[in-house]
Amino acid sequence: MLGDKLEYGLKVIGSVAALGGLLLAGAQFTRNQSVEAAKPYLERKLKWCEEAVETAAFIATSEVGAVAAAAKTLRFWQLYWGVMGLVENRQVTDAMIAFGGKLSAKESSSSLQGASLQLARACRQEMADSWSPIWRR
């Protein structure tokens, strides 16, 4: 009698563990499928974020009045008023606005560099939220 109850209890525990494993596997599969489905969009988002960060960093570290910086400034505003509005979250939006404000106010290189770094960090967080927590630090 005790042996029957023990056997039944072990079967129930085994069934619950198997069901739990199946549910976890299903959840992971669904997550992977959603990332795969979104992959083309996420890759474009990554490309635009990288370009925005590289452009801001170039501007922030350029010599005052450099011709190349003028071209990069134009590109920053194109990203600002264009594709970044399509892909950015609130943190990236705030970082783009902050950098744009400092750029418009012709603030110092160190101020622009700090804003550029904040943009990079906001983009990294956006990628972590979209792709994988491994991007977080």
Side-chain angles (χ1 to χ4, degrees), residues 74-134:
L74 174 62
R75 184 60 186 146
F76 173 81
W77 290 117
Q78 289 169 340
L79 290 166
Y80 181 96
W81 292 111
V83 296
M84 291 306 290
L86 175 68
V87 300
E88 63 194 11
N89 67 6
R90 187 77 229 161
Q91 278 184 300
V92 176
T93 298
D94 291 346
M96 289 288 288
I97 290 170
F99 187 87
K102 291 178 185 307
L103 185 58
S104 293
K106 299 184 184 328
E107 290 195 18
S108 69
S109 291
S110 63
S111 180
L112 286 171
Q113 289 166 7
S116 175
L117 191 55
Q118 286 306 111
L119 176 58
R121 289 179 178 147
C123 284
R124 182 181 66 215
Q125 183 63 45
E126 172 69 11
M127 293 300 103
D129 293 344
S130 297
W131 284 84
S132 169
I134 200 165

Side-chain angles (χ1 to χ4, degrees), residues 52-65:
V53 168
E54 289 171 357
T55 301
F58 186 92
I59 294 165
T61 59
S62 292
E63 296 292 323
V64 176

